[in-house]
Amino acid sequence: MQTKPKVIISSVDAERLEKLIESLPRKFSPGKDDLESELARAEVVEPKDIPPTVVTMNSTVRFEVESSLEEFCLTLVYPKDVDASGEKVSILAPVGSALLGLSQGDEIEWPKPGGGVLRVRIKEVTYQPERSGEYHR
């Protein structure tokens, strides 16, 4: 079994995500349990103390697929901010909750359509609100 990478999140993100979880239906809510698990193991720090290479809410991340070296970018967003562009991933998607708090260089498994997984590496956090001085966005 692979050890999960260290997770760091801001106190603002933690508070907003806990409110999101509380607002979800109790019985069935895809992604709720995964997000709760990630929050439970996260180190929570003040927004100004977030390292600049950590994925926070509204961060844009450049990934590299290990097998093909293909690159793609996605922005981690709240469910209300997902659109049809294909450039955003919800925090409630399995990959979304897995991304939160990871750092440049970390690797995760990404589910492929139709089954199987791809191994992807966080190549760069191209935009992070905290790094831009946006602590309470």
Side-chain angles (χ1 to χ4, degrees), residues 52-66:
T53 57
V54 169
V55 180
T56 62
M57 290 305 299
N58 299 304
S59 289
T60 301
V61 181
R62 185 165 49 100
F63 300 93
E64 180 178 74
V65 179
E66 188 177 83

Side-chain angles (χ1 to χ4, degrees), residues 33-135:
D33 292 342
D34 290 339
L35 181 55
E36 284 178 320
S37 295
E38 292 300 311
L39 291 177
R41 70 185 196 90
E43 175 186 347
V44 179
V45 301
E46 290 304 308
K48 66 180 180 41
D49 297 327
I50 288 280
T53 57
V54 169
V55 180
T56 62
M57 290 305 299
N58 299 304
S59 289
T60 301
V61 181
R62 185 165 49 100
F63 300 93
E64 180 178 74
V65 179
E66 188 177 83
S67 60
S68 66
L69 303 182
E70 174 189 350
E71 293 186 5
F72 62 98
C73 289
L74 288 174
T75 300
L76 181 62
V77 298
Y78 293 95
K80 67 180 180 55
D81 297 322
V82 173
D83 59 27
S85 70
E87 297 173 356
K88 297 177 181 176
V89 62
S90 169
I91 186 65
L92 291 178
V95 170
S97 60
L99 278 177
L100 182 68
L102 296 184
S103 297
Q104 234 164 251
D106 286 342
E107 294 183 356
I108 61 170
E109 290 184 344
W110 196 285
K112 290 189 328 189
V117 295
L118 293 173
R119 189 131 190 91
V120 299
R121 184 169 58 88
I122 297 174
K123 190 131 180 174
E124 180 184 11
V125 177
T126 60
Y127 169 75
Q128 181 206 67
E130 291 81 1
R131 186 171 65 211
S132 298
E134 299 173 37
Y135 299 120

